[in-house]
Amino acid sequence: MVGALVREERPATVAAAREAIDRADAALAVILERRAALAGVVQRLKPVGGFAGRDPERERRIVAAMARRAPRLGEARLAPIMKAVIESGLHLAEEVRAASRDNGQEPAPRDRPAGTAGTQALAGGRQDHDRD
């Protein structure tokens, strides 16, 4: 899957281009799932979680860091994407918390993130957007 993100492709047909998009989408789905799980950990650890605990300055720094890695997209295009990603993660964290509360259980293991080795590899070992 990492190859879909880093390998330069020059598809010659619509079908080949769509197959390349499908590979990138598959990798993106895995990354988004991982990000949502990590955001869920943050929500459990923060004194004020959920939408009330949002940090607009941190969100701005995340977008700025991403724009440095994706300059053709830039902050203006990345900001609404990241807003949707962040809000989806917050909704998921709230759903997991509510389900856990209703069941009197901790979140399921799949809601807890695994190690960060894959994340570091995908980000080229750079994690500056995750520091605070």
Side-chain angles (χ1 to χ4, degrees):
M1 262 195 233
V2 176
L5 299 176
V6 297
R7 180 179 60 236
E8 181 71 26
E9 294 188 66
R10 298 190 193 284
T13 66
V14 170
R18 286 181 174 162
E19 288 173 9
I21 288 171
D22 291 346
R23 287 189 297 277
D25 287 347
L28 183 58
V30 171
I31 292 167
L32 289 170
E33 180 83 8
R34 171 87 175 124
R35 190 195 192 287
L38 289 166
V41 171
V42 169
Q43 294 309 304
R44 288 191 297 275
L45 295 173
K46 285 172 48 173
V48 177
F51 285 85
R54 284 181 81 168
D55 180 350
E57 178 57 24
R58 172 154 169 74
E59 292 178 20
R60 188 200 63 72
R61 287 191 316 268
I62 289 168
V63 169
M66 292 180 77
R68 287 190 299 274
R69 291 184 175 102
R72 289 184 3 205
L73 287 175
E75 290 185 37
R77 289 184 186 96
L78 288 167
I81 293 168
M82 289 313 297
K83 179 180 179 190
V85 168
I86 290 165
E87 290 179 357
S88 293
L90 289 171
H91 285 297
L92 177 60
E94 288 178 356
E95 290 170 14
V96 169
R97 184 173 37 244
S100 297
R101 204 173 31 243
D102 292 347
N103 296 328
Q105 299 175 349
E106 289 293 309
R110 67 183 172 87
D111 295 322
R112 293 187 198 124
T116 59
T119 304
Q120 288 173 344
L122 289 173
R126 295 180 301 190
Q127 299 280 322
D128 57 328
H129 65 284
D130 291 331
R131 288 186 214 140
D132 285 333

